[in-house]
Amino acid sequence: MTVPSAAPAQPEDPRKPRHIAIVMDGNGRWAQRRGRPRTFGHRAGAKAVRLCVRGCLEHGIHALTLFAFSSENWKRPQEEVGTLMKLFLRSLDREVDELHEHGVRLRFIGERGLLAAPIQQRMHAAERRTAGNRALNLTIAISYGGRWDIAQAARQLALAAVEGRIQPAAIDEAALAAHMQLADLPAPDLFIRTGGDHRISNFLLWQLAYTELWFTDTLWPDFDAAELARALADYAARERRYGLTGEQVERPRKGASA
Ligand code: FPP
């Protein structure tokens, strides 16, 4: 029996993550500690997003995926949802030029149909405009849930089977993976969550199967270059085994000749 390997092809530098996924938590607490409304924290969070993108460009990271708004966040107080939507719209208007200048390819994942038409239009325009960029693949998850992602992939395959385009027996891990959002990117190597909680919160459930997890108490608006460097240093020291033994995956030590 051939068992498929969970490990991706060996990256250029195995000590550096090609793809980082981040749950940006703690905006509300950051604001409350300053006696300000939660929305103040989200605005500060948007500034931290800029710093993080800059840091990833400097470190030569291939892909960065940020969880900006979950399927569940729609149930937050109306005022907070409204402020976040305005912030997304304003960020799209203000940031796309600079992202484009820096060679960033911008994409969005999630249930777009739930978003207001002007946001959908800006998202589409930003994706088209930056489609040829290669310096960094920046994906923003808005109205996104990991369970929704798996369900939408399964629905596409079910439809293909009903229409006779594929056999049900062909529905395997590879077929599902090919229909998930982010199918064209390597799975995240490093997952970062700020804000002190240790959970995945319905982010990229399928894609995080073998991702290295890193948690920090730092609240998202305080996440800076030094904190990113800490996460990267921790990742560099990890051994990724994908279910194999340490001997099977041992990577060349620094300075070794082969
Ligand atoms: C979680 O903190 C954060 C969010 C639900 C929103 C994330 C949004 C941003 C960082 C702003 C801008 C983003 C982009 C892409 C322009 P929380 O509100 O749950 O904080 P808490 O845990 O302290 O309550």
Side-chain angles (χ1 to χ4, degrees):
M1 187 176 76
T2 314
V3 180
S5 169
Q10 189 74 338
E12 227 167 79
D13 178 0
R15 290 176 191 84
K16 185 166 81 179
R18 284 160 307 169
H19 185 176
I20 302 177
I22 307 186
V23 172
M24 309 179 285
D25 198 17
N27 293 347
R29 279 165 286 163
W30 186 90
Q32 278 159 355
R33 281 177 199 176
R34 286 161 179 77
R36 306 292 297 267
R38 296 174 55 80
T39 48
F40 180 69
H42 293 315
R43 279 192 282 276
K47 286 187 194 143
V49 168
R50 295 177 112 236
L51 280 184
C52 184
V53 169
R54 193 180 307 159
C56 285
L57 281 165
E58 281 167 9
H59 285 282
I61 302 297
H62 173 67
L64 171 67
T65 300
L66 300 174
F67 205 4
F69 192 83
S70 72
S71 310
E72 292 73 29
N73 288 154
W74 286 113
K75 296 181 200 126
R76 287 196 174 194
Q78 207 54 51
E79 192 211 334
E80 183 169 341
V81 171
T83 304
L84 276 167
M85 291 301 147
K86 269 189 221 138
L87 193 57
F88 296 144
L89 195 62
R90 212 178 49 201
S91 299
L92 278 164
D93 285 339
R94 284 191 183 166
E95 308 291 345
V96 175
D97 283 349
E98 200 179 328
L99 290 171
H100 187 47
E101 268 166 37
H102 285 88
V104 175
R105 179 177 189 186
L106 185 58
R107 279 187 290 182
F108 301 89
I109 55 172
E111 235 179 320
R112 296 181 184 219
L114 300 179
L115 298 163
I119 300 187
Q120 288 189 47
Q121 281 152 13
R122 254 77 149 204
M123 283 160 62
H124 187 62
E127 285 177 330
R128 269 216 320 237
R129 180 155 175 227
T130 62
N133 293 341
R134 291 291 174 266
L136 171 70
N137 282 283
L138 173 62
T139 305
I140 311 289
I142 297 189
S143 190
Y144 176 87
R147 289 176 177 171
W148 166 83
D149 196 356
I150 295 169
Q152 65 80 29
R155 199 178 312 120
Q156 289 184 56
L157 288 167
L159 187 66
V162 166
E163 291 176 353
R165 287 182 278 121
I166 57 163
Q167 289 298 315
I171 300 179
D172 56 8
E173 287 185 26
L176 264 164
H179 289 81
M180 303 293 298
Q181 311 257 301
L182 297 186
D184 64 326
L185 291 178
D189 301 296
L190 175 63
F191 165 97
I192 296 174
R193 182 180 183 129
T194 61
D197 287 323
H198 293 192
R199 53 178 171 257
I200 291 172
S201 296
N202 199 18
F203 197 19
L204 305 160
L205 296 181
W206 176 276
Q207 300 87 341
L208 293 176
Y210 276 98
T211 300
E212 296 296 319
L213 309 179
W214 191 80
F215 299 96
T216 173
D217 289 338
T218 298
L219 304 175
W220 176 250
D222 290 329
F223 190 89
D224 58 9
E227 193 72 350
L228 177 64
R230 245 172 25 96
L232 291 174
D234 195 87
Y235 177 85
R238 300 223 186 156
E239 178 184 71
R240 303 188 71 187
R241 291 196 293 277
Y242 302 97
L244 304 183
T245 67
E247 291 73 29
Q248 283 175 299
V249 297
E250 199 156 304
R251 54 190 187 196
R253 299 264 163 255
K254 241 187 179 159
S257 53

